[in-house]
Amino acid sequence: RDVAVTGVQTCALPISPARTVTEDDVLACVGDTAAFDLDGLIYAMADGDQAAMQRTFARLTAEGTSPIGILTAAARHLVRLHEIRGKVADGRSVDAAMMSLRPPVFFKFKGRFQAQANRWNETLLARGLNVLTEAELQAKSTDMPAEAITERALIQIAQAARGAGRR
């Protein structure tokens, strides 16, 4: 008999009275959702959704995600937005610029990424990257908790994004 496990994904496990469902079976169905949570965190930050960003940040750090890894992912996202802004400045449309990104933007986030590319300008992106660089330096070289440093940097960037959306 098949049992469906629901959640982020649906998975059917072939089981019988003689077979016990193992942790490996469950993990094969559920998979690693941390990458999706990290994407959600980064997109919430760049959207200016501070509340969603903070909720996801708390969940990720509680699960053991590295604050430095979060800073790196946030910087990578801003660099990709900066790349798009550069291509738009050279005369490409946002759509054409997005299609040239490697790896491509995950289909689930294309609309949000495009909106962010239109909202963020080069000055804000440079400022955001500077905030992330300073946070990483502090997290690696001071006795301050890396989680607090990282969260503060993400809040600053989310506030800048929210401000950019009002213009």
Side-chain angles (χ1 to χ4, degrees):
R1 157 169 228 231
D2 289 339
V3 175
V5 178
T6 60
V8 175
Q9 302 174 337
T10 301
C11 180
L13 294 172
I15 61 171
S16 67
R19 181 162 188 258
T20 303
V21 176
T22 67
E23 183 177 339
D24 288 338
D25 293 327
V26 173
L27 288 175
C29 278
V30 175
D32 182 10
T33 60
F36 290 114
D37 284 347
L38 186 56
D39 284 341
L41 168 76
I42 300 309
Y43 276 87
M45 173 202 72
D47 285 342
D49 187 348
Q50 185 177 333
M53 187 270 312
Q54 287 184 282
R55 278 191 309 273
T56 308
F57 179 81
R59 186 172 54 249
L60 284 169
T61 55
E63 292 172 356
T65 303
S66 162
I68 301 301
I70 292 171
L71 289 171
T72 301
R76 185 173 41 251
H77 187 77
L78 293 186
V79 165
R80 286 169 58 90
L81 287 172
H82 197 277
E83 183 179 345
I84 294 296
R85 296 299 313 157
K87 290 177 180 185
V88 167
D90 287 341
R92 287 191 185 178
S93 69
V94 172
D95 284 337
M98 282 179 56
M99 289 188 340
S100 70
L101 283 178
R102 296 294 175 257
V105 176
F106 185 58
F107 77 93
K108 178 182 174 183
F109 295 114
K110 279 187 177 179
R112 288 173 76 184
F113 190 89
Q114 185 171 20
Q116 291 170 7
N118 287 319
R119 177 182 306 129
W120 284 81
N121 63 40
E122 292 79 3
T123 303
L124 282 175
L125 288 166
R127 200 174 310 150
L129 287 166
N130 188 51
V131 166
L132 293 170
T133 301
E134 288 297 318
E136 186 171 349
L137 283 170
Q138 287 180 2
K140 290 179 175 178
S141 64
T142 68
D143 290 333
M144 293 175 53
E147 291 84 1
I149 292 168
T150 300
E151 185 174 27
R152 183 181 65 208
L154 297 177
I155 288 169
Q156 288 175 331
I157 294 169
Q159 290 172 341
R162 194 171 57 243
R166 289 189 202 130
R167 294 180 188 158

